[in-house]
Amino acid sequence: MASNAATTRAASPLAAMTKLSPSVYFYRPTTPSPATADTETISSQNPAPKLIILATWMGARDPHIAKYLVQYQALYPTAPVLLLRSEPRHFISPRGNPREFAPATPVVCSIFPDLGTTPMTPANKAPNPQQQAPQLLIHAWSNGGAASLHHLRRALARPAAATAPPLPPYTIVLDSTPGLFRYRAGYRAFSAGLTGLAKWLAAPFLHALCAWYWLAHGLVGRGRTGPLAAAAAALNDGAARRSEVRRTYVYGPGDRLVHWRDVEAHAAEADKRGFRRARRERFEGSEHVAHVRVDAGRYWRVAKETWEGVD
């Protein structure tokens, strides 16, 4: 039995999760996961999240996702986990996005059944979210993760309660996001994982895609249109401000896909818009969505402190 279980894990690192669509996976714990070396010294004493949402970077592979999943399972073994995966097709052909991310909606609503049912009015105005205990933990990586989270929030928004927060009180870790579109960075993002002949054959199409995006959204749209701008704006909009308890930006100057100045500019905008708990954690010597490799202890301590309220 142990051999068969080991073989299953090796074949599919996400085997413990239920695949609801090509982009949505769900894990509901049955027994607590054993602590790993990175989590033994920072085990949480606070109440666990009612739900953890992991919105991964574009093209993230199963073994890489599983490392974060296992770590959160060790930190909060009783918390269910919703995984939102980002793929190049979500940017190239966005029409199918609502269908792919739709299965995430009933999962969130089953855990938070009162979500978005009561519009905000002066009479029933909710308290400052920063004074509430968070119920939801979100961890998003890169622009792909930020975009997936935006898709989920749009799916959860109900016209009958347009002013109600689409999410319960939450904390969020923003790893290597959000960033503005930059041609070279965009090309690197879409060509990541391609090598040799495959990269050479795909190059013309990828350059055409990046050129179109730059013309449509960089030049004509002045950086204010397109999926990247929409995802970044949603993180700082009024709905987020009504739900968010605190956030942490994890970024670094070694990132060649999302410029560190874009992240800091977004954090500065968050300050101006009233997000008073926008923490910045700058990692030196790390690459895109690889900050955990430089200092795993610091990375997971920051993630834990974001949830537990250590500014």
Side-chain angles (χ1 to χ4, degrees), residues 231-257:
L235 290 169
N236 279 347
D237 68 10
R241 191 168 60 250
R242 291 193 295 271
S243 300
E244 186 176 303
V245 177
R246 51 188 162 266
R247 72 172 61 174
T248 297
Y249 294 90
V250 177
Y251 64 102
D255 192 334
R256 298 196 303 160
L257 299 187

PDB file of all heavy atoms in Angstrom, residues 231-257:
ATOM      1  N   ALA A 231      -6.411  43.164 -13.925  1.00  0.00           N
ATOM      2  CA  ALA A 231      -6.087  42.396 -12.722  1.00  0.00           C
ATOM      3  C   ALA A 231      -5.440  43.277 -11.664  1.00  0.00           C
ATOM      4  O   ALA A 231      -5.750  43.175 -10.473  1.00  0.00           O
ATOM      5  CB  ALA A 231      -5.166  41.232 -13.084  1.00  0.00           C
ATOM      6  N   ALA A 232      -4.539  44.169 -12.101  1.00  0.00           N
ATOM      7  CA  ALA A 232      -3.874  45.064 -11.154  1.00  0.00           C
ATOM      8  C   ALA A 232      -4.862  46.043 -10.539  1.00  0.00           C
ATOM      9  O   ALA A 232      -4.829  46.309  -9.330  1.00  0.00           O
ATOM     10  CB  ALA A 232      -2.743  45.811 -11.859  1.00  0.00           C
ATOM     11  N   ALA A 233      -5.756  46.573 -11.354  1.00  0.00           N
ATOM     12  CA  ALA A 233      -6.747  47.527 -10.851  1.00  0.00           C
ATOM     13  C   ALA A 233      -7.693  46.872  -9.857  1.00  0.00           C
ATOM     14  O   ALA A 233      -8.080  47.481  -8.852  1.00  0.00           O
ATOM     15  CB  ALA A 233      -7.525  48.130 -12.013  1.00  0.00           C
ATOM     16  N   ALA A 234      -8.070  45.623 -10.119  1.00  0.00           N
ATOM     17  CA  ALA A 234      -9.010  44.932  -9.235  1.00  0.00           C
ATOM     18  C   ALA A 234      -8.440  44.732  -7.838  1.00  0.00           C
ATOM     19  O   ALA A 234      -9.174  44.727  -6.846  1.00  0.00           O
ATOM     20  CB  ALA A 234      -9.391  43.581  -9.830  1.00  0.00           C
ATOM     21  N   LEU A 235      -7.131  44.588  -7.740  1.00  0.00           N
ATOM     22  CA  LEU A 235      -6.508  44.399  -6.430  1.00  0.00           C
ATOM     23  C   LEU A 235      -6.606  45.647  -5.557  1.00  0.00           C
ATOM     24  O   LEU A 235      -6.517  45.555  -4.327  1.00  0.00           O
ATOM     25  CB  LEU A 235      -5.035  44.014  -6.607  1.00  0.00           C
ATOM     26  CG  LEU A 235      -4.765  42.616  -7.166  1.00  0.00           C
ATOM     27  CD1 LEU A 235      -3.290  42.474  -7.528  1.00  0.00           C
ATOM     28  CD2 LEU A 235      -5.177  41.541  -6.158  1.00  0.00           C
ATOM     29  N   ASN A 236      -6.790  46.802  -6.182  1.00  0.00           N
ATOM     30  CA  ASN A 236      -6.853  48.063  -5.442  1.00  0.00           C
ATOM     31  C   ASN A 236      -8.208  48.741  -5.522  1.00  0.00           C
ATOM     32  O   ASN A 236      -8.325  49.917  -5.166  1.00  0.00           O
ATOM     33  CB  ASN A 236      -5.773  49.031  -5.948  1.00  0.00           C
ATOM     34  CG  ASN A 236      -4.409  48.744  -5.362  1.00  0.00           C
ATOM     35  OD1 ASN A 236      -4.282  47.986  -4.404  1.00  0.00           O
ATOM     36  ND2 ASN A 236      -3.368  49.346  -5.928  1.00  0.00           N
ATOM     37  N   ASP A 237      -9.227  48.025  -5.982  1.00  0.00           N
ATOM     38  CA  ASP A 237     -10.523  48.692  -6.145  1.00  0.00           C
ATOM     39  C   ASP A 237     -11.320  48.715  -4.838  1.00  0.00           C
ATOM     40  O   ASP A 237     -10.891  48.191  -3.803  1.00  0.00           O
ATOM     41  CB  ASP A 237     -11.335  48.066  -7.287  1.00  0.00           C
ATOM     42  CG  ASP A 237     -11.794  46.645  -6.988  1.00  0.00           C
ATOM     43  OD1 ASP A 237     -11.656  46.188  -5.833  1.00  0.00           O
ATOM     44  OD2 ASP A 237     -12.278  45.969  -7.923  1.00  0.00           O
ATOM     45  N   GLY A 238     -12.499  49.320  -4.894  1.00  0.00           N
ATOM     46  CA  GLY A 238     -13.309  49.485  -3.699  1.00  0.00           C
ATOM     47  C   GLY A 238     -13.776  48.172  -3.100  1.00  0.00           C
ATOM     48  O   GLY A 238     -13.851  48.036  -1.877  1.00  0.00           O
ATOM     49  N   ALA A 239     -14.091  47.188  -3.949  1.00  0.00           N
ATOM     50  CA  ALA A 239     -14.543  45.890  -3.435  1.00  0.00           C
ATOM     51  C   ALA A 239     -13.442  45.221  -2.629  1.00  0.00           C
ATOM     52  O   ALA A 239     -13.697  44.627  -1.572  1.00  0.00           O
ATOM     53  CB  ALA A 239     -14.981  44.993  -4.587  1.00  0.00           C
ATOM     54  N   ALA A 240     -12.214  45.306  -3.131  1.00  0.00           N
ATOM     55  CA  ALA A 240     -11.090  44.731  -2.394  1.00  0.00           C
ATOM     56  C   ALA A 240     -10.881  45.451  -1.066  1.00  0.00           C
ATOM     57  O   ALA A 240     -10.603  44.822  -0.039  1.00  0.00           O
ATOM     58  CB  ALA A 240      -9.821  44.794  -3.244  1.00  0.00           C
ATOM     59  N   ARG A 241     -11.027  46.752  -1.085  1.00  0.00           N
ATOM     60  CA  ARG A 241     -10.821  47.529   0.142  1.00  0.00           C
ATOM     61  C   ARG A 241     -11.863  47.171   1.204  1.00  0.00           C
ATOM     62  O   ARG A 241     -11.591  47.251   2.398  1.00  0.00           O
ATOM     63  CB  ARG A 241     -10.862  49.022  -0.181  1.00  0.00           C
ATOM     64  CG  ARG A 241     -10.400  49.910   0.970  1.00  0.00           C
ATOM     65  CD  ARG A 241     -10.172  51.347   0.536  1.00  0.00           C
ATOM     66  NE  ARG A 241     -11.376  51.954   0.001  1.00  0.00           N
ATOM     67  CZ  ARG A 241     -11.553  52.253  -1.291  1.00  0.00           C
ATOM     68  NH1 ARG A 241     -10.586  52.025  -2.167  1.00  0.00           N
ATOM     69  NH2 ARG A 241     -12.670  52.808  -1.705  1.00  0.00           N
ATOM     70  N   ARG A 242     -13.071  46.780   0.786  1.00  0.00           N
ATOM     71  CA  ARG A 242     -14.115  46.420   1.742  1.00  0.00           C
ATOM     72  C   ARG A 242     -13.912  45.019   2.320  1.00  0.00           C
ATOM     73  O   ARG A 242     -14.554  44.675   3.321  1.00  0.00           O
ATOM     74  CB  ARG A 242     -15.496  46.515   1.077  1.00  0.00           C
ATOM     75  CG  ARG A 242     -15.934  47.934   0.757  1.00  0.00           C
ATOM     76  CD  ARG A 242     -17.411  47.965   0.394  1.00  0.00           C
ATOM     77  NE  ARG A 242     -17.703  47.241  -0.829  1.00  0.00           N
ATOM     78  CZ  ARG A 242     -17.668  47.783  -2.052  1.00  0.00           C
ATOM     79  NH1 ARG A 242     -17.318  49.051  -2.205  1.00  0.00           N
ATOM     80  NH2 ARG A 242     -17.963  47.062  -3.108  1.00  0.00           N
ATOM     81  N   SER A 243     -13.062  44.206   1.687  1.00  0.00           N
ATOM     82  CA  SER A 243     -12.881  42.825   2.135  1.00  0.00           C
ATOM     83  C   SER A 243     -11.492  42.538   2.706  1.00  0.00           C
ATOM     84  O   SER A 243     -11.345  41.655   3.552  1.00  0.00           O
ATOM     85  CB  SER A 243     -13.121  41.852   0.968  1.00  0.00           C
ATOM     86  OG  SER A 243     -14.420  41.971   0.449  1.00  0.00           O
ATOM     87  N   GLU A 244     -10.506  43.250   2.235  1.00  0.00           N
ATOM     88  CA  GLU A 244      -9.132  42.888   2.561  1.00  0.00           C
ATOM     89  C   GLU A 244      -8.727  43.340   3.953  1.00  0.00           C
ATOM     90  O   GLU A 244      -8.915  44.492   4.338  1.00  0.00           O
ATOM     91  CB  GLU A 244      -8.185  43.481   1.520  1.00  0.00           C
ATOM     92  CG  GLU A 244      -6.741  43.038   1.701  1.00  0.00           C
ATOM     93  CD  GLU A 244      -5.850  43.555   0.596  1.00  0.00           C
ATOM     94  OE1 GLU A 244      -6.146  43.268  -0.587  1.00  0.00           O
ATOM     95  OE2 GLU A 244      -4.878  44.270   0.904  1.00  0.00           O
ATOM     96  N   VAL A 245      -8.141  42.435   4.714  1.00  0.00           N
ATOM     97  CA  VAL A 245      -7.650  42.731   6.047  1.00  0.00           C
ATOM     98  C   VAL A 245      -6.207  43.227   5.981  1.00  0.00           C
ATOM     99  O   VAL A 245      -5.850  44.233   6.586  1.00  0.00           O
ATOM    100  CB  VAL A 245      -7.761  41.495   6.956  1.00  0.00           C
ATOM    101  CG1 VAL A 245      -7.184  41.786   8.351  1.00  0.00           C
ATOM    102  CG2 VAL A 245      -9.210  41.033   7.060  1.00  0.00           C
ATOM    103  N   ARG A 246      -5.361  42.540   5.224  1.00  0.00           N
ATOM    104  CA  ARG A 246      -3.975  42.979   5.021  1.00  0.00           C
ATOM    105  C   ARG A 246      -3.375  42.204   3.850  1.00  0.00           C
ATOM    106  O   ARG A 246      -3.884  41.149   3.464  1.00  0.00           O
ATOM    107  CB  ARG A 246      -3.122  42.783   6.284  1.00  0.00           C
ATOM    108  CG  ARG A 246      -3.181  41.430   6.883  1.00  0.00           C
ATOM    109  CD  ARG A 246      -2.480  41.358   8.245  1.00  0.00           C
ATOM    110  NE  ARG A 246      -2.938  40.165   8.958  1.00  0.00           N
ATOM    111  CZ  ARG A 246      -3.940  40.165   9.827  1.00  0.00           C
ATOM    112  NH1 ARG A 246      -4.560  41.298  10.114  1.00  0.00           N
ATOM    113  NH2 ARG A 246      -4.339  39.052  10.411  1.00  0.00           N
ATOM    114  N   ARG A 247      -2.274  42.753   3.340  1.00  0.00           N
ATOM    115  CA  ARG A 247      -1.590  42.134   2.214  1.00  0.00           C
ATOM    116  C   ARG A 247      -0.089  42.267   2.364  1.00  0.00           C
ATOM    117  O   ARG A 247       0.408  43.138   3.072  1.00  0.00           O
ATOM    118  CB  ARG A 247      -2.025  42.772   0.890  1.00  0.00           C
ATOM    119  CG  ARG A 247      -1.482  44.169   0.678  1.00  0.00           C
ATOM    120  CD  ARG A 247      -1.768  44.716  -0.712  1.00  0.00           C
ATOM    121  NE  ARG A 247      -3.187  44.822  -1.016  1.00  0.00           N
ATOM    122  CZ  ARG A 247      -3.665  45.388  -2.132  1.00  0.00           C
ATOM    123  NH1 ARG A 247      -2.823  45.910  -3.022  1.00  0.00           N
ATOM    124  NH2 ARG A 247      -4.966  45.461  -2.339  1.00  0.00           N
ATOM    125  N   THR A 248       0.640  41.417   1.639  1.00  0.00           N
ATOM    126  CA  THR A 248       2.096  41.499   1.577  1.00  0.00           C
ATOM    127  C   THR A 248       2.542  41.318   0.137  1.00  0.00           C
ATOM    128  O   THR A 248       2.094  40.391  -0.542  1.00  0.00           O
ATOM    129  CB  THR A 248       2.764  40.424   2.452  1.00  0.00           C
ATOM    130  OG1 THR A 248       2.421  40.635   3.818  1.00  0.00           O
ATOM    131  CG2 THR A 248       4.282  40.479   2.312  1.00  0.00           C
ATOM    132  N   TYR A 249       3.404  42.217  -0.316  1.00  0.00           N
ATOM    133  CA  TYR A 249       4.044  42.087  -1.618  1.00  0.00           C
ATOM    134  C   TYR A 249       5.402  41.414  -1.419  1.00  0.00           C
ATOM    135  O   TYR A 249       6.231  41.884  -0.628  1.00  0.00           O
ATOM    136  CB  TYR A 249       4.278  43.455  -2.252  1.00  0.00           C
ATOM    137  CG  TYR A 249       3.037  44.229  -2.621  1.00  0.00           C
ATOM    138  CD1 TYR A 249       2.435  45.093  -1.707  1.00  0.00           C
ATOM    139  CD2 TYR A 249       2.475  44.128  -3.896  1.00  0.00           C
ATOM    140  CE1 TYR A 249       1.314  45.832  -2.039  1.00  0.00           C
ATOM    141  CE2 TYR A 249       1.356  44.864  -4.240  1.00  0.00           C
ATOM    142  CZ  TYR A 249       0.775  45.713  -3.312  1.00  0.00           C
ATOM    143  OH  TYR A 249      -0.342  46.444  -3.661  1.00  0.00           O
ATOM    144  N   VAL A 250       5.641  40.326  -2.135  1.00  0.00           N
ATOM    145  CA  VAL A 250       6.936  39.655  -2.145  1.00  0.00           C
ATOM    146  C   VAL A 250       7.514  39.834  -3.540  1.00  0.00           C
ATOM    147  O   VAL A 250       6.909  39.410  -4.531  1.00  0.00           O
ATOM    148  CB  VAL A 250       6.797  38.154  -1.800  1.00  0.00           C
ATOM    149  CG1 VAL A 250       8.150  37.456  -1.883  1.00  0.00           C
ATOM    150  CG2 VAL A 250       6.196  37.980  -0.414  1.00  0.00           C
ATOM    151  N   TYR A 251       8.661  40.460  -3.648  1.00  0.00           N
ATOM    152  CA  TYR A 251       9.218  40.817  -4.951  1.00  0.00           C
ATOM    153  C   TYR A 251      10.724  41.004  -4.830  1.00  0.00           C
ATOM    154  O   TYR A 251      11.286  40.894  -3.723  1.00  0.00           O
ATOM    155  CB  TYR A 251       8.562  42.095  -5.470  1.00  0.00           C
ATOM    156  CG  TYR A 251       8.853  43.314  -4.594  1.00  0.00           C
ATOM    157  CD1 TYR A 251       9.809  44.249  -4.980  1.00  0.00           C
ATOM    158  CD2 TYR A 251       8.189  43.512  -3.377  1.00  0.00           C
ATOM    159  CE1 TYR A 251      10.091  45.353  -4.171  1.00  0.00           C
ATOM    160  CE2 TYR A 251       8.465  44.603  -2.577  1.00  0.00           C
ATOM    161  CZ  TYR A 251       9.415  45.518  -2.977  1.00  0.00           C
ATOM    162  OH  TYR A 251       9.707  46.597  -2.181  1.00  0.00           O
ATOM    163  N   GLY A 252      11.373  41.290  -5.971  1.00  0.00           N
ATOM    164  CA  GLY A 252      12.808  41.513  -5.915  1.00  0.00           C
ATOM    165  C   GLY A 252      13.346  42.096  -7.205  1.00  0.00           C
ATOM    166  O   GLY A 252      12.743  41.936  -8.279  1.00  0.00           O
ATOM    167  N   PRO A 253      14.498  42.767  -7.148  1.00  0.00           N
ATOM    168  CA  PRO A 253      15.098  43.384  -8.342  1.00  0.00           C
ATOM    169  C   PRO A 253      15.647  42.374  -9.341  1.00  0.00           C
ATOM    170  O   PRO A 253      15.933  42.732 -10.485  1.00  0.00           O
ATOM    171  CB  PRO A 253      16.223  44.255  -7.759  1.00  0.00           C
ATOM    172  CG  PRO A 253      16.556  43.612  -6.455  1.00  0.00           C
ATOM    173  CD  PRO A 253      15.269  43.060  -5.934  1.00  0.00           C
ATOM    174  N   GLY A 254      15.783  41.104  -8.935  1.00  0.00           N
ATOM    175  CA  GLY A 254      16.273  40.095  -9.861  1.00  0.00           C
ATOM    176  C   GLY A 254      15.201  39.507 -10.759  1.00  0.00           C
ATOM    177  O   GLY A 254      15.507  38.692 -11.633  1.00  0.00           O
ATOM    178  N   ASP A 255      13.964  39.923 -10.583  1.00  0.00           N
ATOM    179  CA  ASP A 255      12.839  39.434 -11.382  1.00  0.00           C
ATOM    180  C   ASP A 255      12.895  40.062 -12.768  1.00  0.00           C
ATOM    181  O   ASP A 255      12.802  41.279 -12.910  1.00  0.00           O
ATOM    182  CB  ASP A 255      11.532  39.798 -10.681  1.00  0.00           C
ATOM    183  CG  ASP A 255      10.317  39.099 -11.273  1.00  0.00           C
ATOM    184  OD1 ASP A 255      10.364  38.741 -12.466  1.00  0.00           O
ATOM    185  OD2 ASP A 255       9.326  38.937 -10.548  1.00  0.00           O
ATOM    186  N   ARG A 256      13.007  39.230 -13.813  1.00  0.00           N
ATOM    187  CA  ARG A 256      13.084  39.732 -15.182  1.00  0.00           C
ATOM    188  C   ARG A 256      11.735  39.718 -15.903  1.00  0.00           C
ATOM    189  O   ARG A 256      11.654  40.127 -17.062  1.00  0.00           O
ATOM    190  CB  ARG A 256      14.081  38.903 -15.998  1.00  0.00           C
ATOM    191  CG  ARG A 256      15.510  38.957 -15.479  1.00  0.00           C
ATOM    192  CD  ARG A 256      16.486  38.469 -16.526  1.00  0.00           C
ATOM    193  NE  ARG A 256      16.170  37.115 -16.971  1.00  0.00           N
ATOM    194  CZ  ARG A 256      16.595  36.587 -18.111  1.00  0.00           C
ATOM    195  NH1 ARG A 256      17.324  37.295 -18.955  1.00  0.00           N
ATOM    196  NH2 ARG A 256      16.283  35.331 -18.421  1.00  0.00           N
ATOM    197  N   LEU A 257      10.683  39.275 -15.212  1.00  0.00           N
ATOM    198  CA  LEU A 257       9.358  39.237 -15.828  1.00  0.00           C
ATOM    199  C   LEU A 257       8.421  40.311 -15.269  1.00  0.00           C
ATOM    200  O   LEU A 257       7.604  40.857 -16.004  1.00  0.00           O
ATOM    201  CB  LEU A 257       8.720  37.859 -15.637  1.00  0.00           C
ATOM    202  CG  LEU A 257       9.466  36.669 -16.256  1.00  0.00           C
ATOM    203  CD1 LEU A 257       8.629  35.403 -16.143  1.00  0.00           C
ATOM    204  CD2 LEU A 257       9.829  36.927 -17.706  1.00  0.00           C
TER     205      LEU A 257
END
